Amino acid sequence: MTDALPPAPLTEHGAAPLVVGIGASAGGLEALQAFFAAEPASSGAAYVVVQHMASTRKPMLATLLQSTTAMPVLEATDGLLMRANHVYVGTPGCTLTVSGGRLRSRRELTPSRPATPIDTLFASMAQDLGPRAICVVLSGMGDDGSRGLRQIKQQGGLTLAQAPASARFAAMPQAAVDTGSVDVICPPADMPARIQHLVHTRRNADDTTLAAARSSSAFGDILALLRAQHQCDLSLYKRSTLLRRIDRRVTLLGLPSMQAYAAFLRDNPQEHDLLFKEMLIGVTSFFRDPALWSELKEQVLPALMTHQAPRPLRAWVVGCSTGEEAYSLAMVFLELRDSLPAAADCSLQIFATDLNADAIAVARKGQYPAQGIAHLSADRQARFFSSHGPFVQVDKALRDRVLFARHDVIQDPPFTKLDLLLCRNVLIYFGNALQRRLISLFHYSLRPGGMLALGLSETVGRTQDRFAPQVTKAGLYLRNDDTPPVTPAHFQVSLPEATSPTGQEPNLSSSSKQTPINLQALTDQLLLQTLAPAAVLVNSDGDILYINGRTGRYLEPAAGKANWNIHVMARPELRTPIATSVRQTLQDGLPAEALAALSGPEPGARVRLTARALQEPAPLRGLVMITLRDLPADEPDASPVTESACGVAPDALADELARARAEIQALRQDMNASHDSLHAANEALQASNEELQSANEELTASKEEAQSLNEELQTINGELQAKLDDLVLAQSDMQNLLNATDIATLFLDSDLNVRRYTDRAALIFHLREVDIGRPLSELANTLRYPELFDDSKATLGTLTHLEKQVQTLDGRWLAVRIMPYRTQAYIVQGLVLTFFDITEAKSLEARLRQG
């Protein structure tokens, strides 16, 4: 690895920005050493290592790894903050998790090692770190780590597994690879470079460049290639979903842009299948969403079975994925048929379809992991499934009732004359136009009185005339047989301008904040041009903004809470003319006039009001000026008054009738305007509802993507760690053998640091466990041998063994032998020093010389 990751800053809590979780078992030490030998000391990430090891074992992994890497290697303790460029090793017999950027270590109650410590660590990393989590699965037996690895993948983290061919025990990395959730498969020594590349790709992603790439023709080229290869048109799918899946492949392949990926797709036909599988997201389980199945069992199916018998019932499961939902429907039907005497002769034919041929193959086989039915009742498990080791087989009675087929619901002809149609969490991946088309298709496929079941995040949208909601919480809709003509989606209601000729309602308060307006000066200037009559300045809603002159003759405060609106404050005789004039001038932009007769102490008094929508000056644009002027008695249009036989002037009756008709006309116009406004508001609310529904579907689609890899075939963790036990036993045998020889032995590494020692050697050098890793030159000993370090260094250089006889401080004699330490590959990795007690031989030799 040539370049190290740039040191990333710590988070606000001081934790490392990236955490690499590493799981290993039998044969994992070599893989760990290869990994850390290639990992630079300034990677910017924290590393957490978990191994399978019995709680009775002494922790030695930290010591072994410290000799391989320059990063500090620490034993993981509870509450320890993970920092960048540090390695943390799990303690045997303890469950290690991550929470809040800290390590949490909990000792198991039983003395045996935890069953799945790697899965436990990875799962906690996925929950706590999300996309900042990176997991690595190395050599080992069993399948520990594969489940946690999928969870990290779902949260956007990176996943790596050792190439099975390079592992001493390939079972554990192979189980991880079989999940289909591994981003990188390579030898341990290559992993640091691959991690660096992927992390750099994420950090250096330019949003502007990606947006430009997405809007380019590369996206269309990719869809065209898929359409030519798989005869499936994905252009009607939601663009955001497709882009996320394509971006995922671009990142994993380390390509710089979508254009580069399109070119890669043209040159690599095998990538077509991988991308197509990425597009088809299958998330399902037995009896998913209990509310739906409860309603089907208690209400829907009993009604269909009792009312439609003896006609066979037909059901279609659209987007069945691996078949769990279709089999769930068959189970409910058989249970109901046994419990309902009236439905004893009823039969059900289920058509289950999906675009994914691999999923259909799994559904036809009807074999699922045993863990997938753990939540079912014991009666259902015993009746409908048979056990086959780690898997269960669906009963033949269920398989015979379901017909599985590959089917494209967009292009292929639909099934018809259906009583029940389940299309759950499929529409969320489609655009609005395709959703409306499929809802109409489902209406055609169902019989009168048929039932449609959608996902919890899906609705029939604007096609409520075709389906009536039954249980919205369960997503059930009844086919509506009295379907009126469908309103075109492009139909728009044109509304009268109720605000201003510019189409925008003026906001005086906000305008005043931007540009101070002197209302009095501007209004007075306008009124001077019309001899300053009594006038009122209002906005489009009639709210009074300014009053000029004496208006008490025309306006009066309304009872109750103060309300400065001219439609409320105007005298009853003036309300209709004012409303009509204001509406007319706002619509036409021309001044509008009206006459009104006042009642009270001056019967017959007339008022001329003029409403004018203002265009100038700019600050008053959109407002309305209403002027009120009394008509003099000798006004030319004032006709003479004559008394009728009943004592009432005929002109007064005519005026009253005219006012009544004018008020009726104004009320009709108000009613029509209100109707149009309500219609427009309803359309706007429906549009907003569709936008919210689309956003909800997008969120659900994202959730489905995150769960898609969590429902694949799973393997159980039942294999014994036999090879690991053999290695532990062999290590114990070696330790006992060395101690049984009663020979003081000291193992040194290539830097002449203590690697291992026997009990007898501890008496000579006063060694303790904390001295592992200390240089030989720093060790105190009982030898009269000051040249020990120089001789050891010389032996390491010449690779020639050395033998000497030296005396101890207490008078004993020892034969010292210094030999190179060679591995099975005949590589020198240190020295072996042995000390034989020859005191008796020396005494005998002295006596023989004296005698």
Side-chain angles (χ1 to χ4, degrees), residues 821-830:
Y821 178 94
R822 290 182 172 88
T823 64
Q824 293 182 352
Y826 211 72
I827 299 175
V828 176
Q829 291 187 349

Side-chain angles (χ1 to χ4, degrees), residues 221-233 272:
D221 294 342
I222 292 172
L223 295 186
L225 290 171
L226 289 179
R227 183 167 55 251
Q229 180 73 17
H230 296 279
Q231 291 75 48
C232 178
D233 185 8
H272 290 191

Side-chain angles (χ1 to χ4, degrees), residues 685-747:
L685 289 175
Q686 287 190 7
S688 299
N689 182 57
E690 285 192 354
E691 293 177 4
L692 293 174
Q693 181 67 25
S694 177
N696 187 32
E697 291 173 357
E698 185 71 21
L699 292 174
T700 305
S702 300
K703 179 183 177 183
E704 295 281 350
E705 292 179 44
Q707 293 177 351
S708 61
L709 297 179
N710 193 35
E711 298 180 1
E712 300 175 359
L713 296 177
Q714 302 180 14
T715 58
I716 63 171
N717 184 26
E719 297 183 20
L720 298 176
Q721 301 295 325
K723 211 60 180 177
L724 176 63
D725 295 339
D726 292 342
L727 290 175
V728 172
L729 181 60
Q731 186 178 13
S732 300
D733 292 343
M734 183 189 68
Q735 189 67 31
N736 283 280
L737 175 63
L738 290 175
N739 291 330
T741 58
D742 203 27
I743 298 175
T745 307
L746 183 64
F747 295 88

Side-chain angles (χ1 to χ4, degrees), residues 566-588:
I566 194 168
H567 301 297
V568 177
M569 297 183 63
R571 295 179 61 173
E573 303 90 333
L574 297 177
R575 290 178 183 174
T576 299
I578 289 176
T580 304
S581 301
V582 169
R583 185 184 308 107
Q584 184 177 350
T585 188
L586 286 174
Q587 290 179 3
D588 303 336

Side-chain angles (χ1 to χ4, degrees), residues 18 125 247 275 280 307 352 478 522-523 567 580 843:
L18 293 174
M125 290 174 58
D247 283 346
L275 179 59
L280 303 180
H307 293 104
L478 180 66
L522 295 174
T523 306
H567 301 297
T580 304
S843 299

Side-chain angles (χ1 to χ4, degrees), residues 4 80 128 302 328 417 433 488:
L80 186 62
D128 188 71
S328 299
K417 298 181 180 180

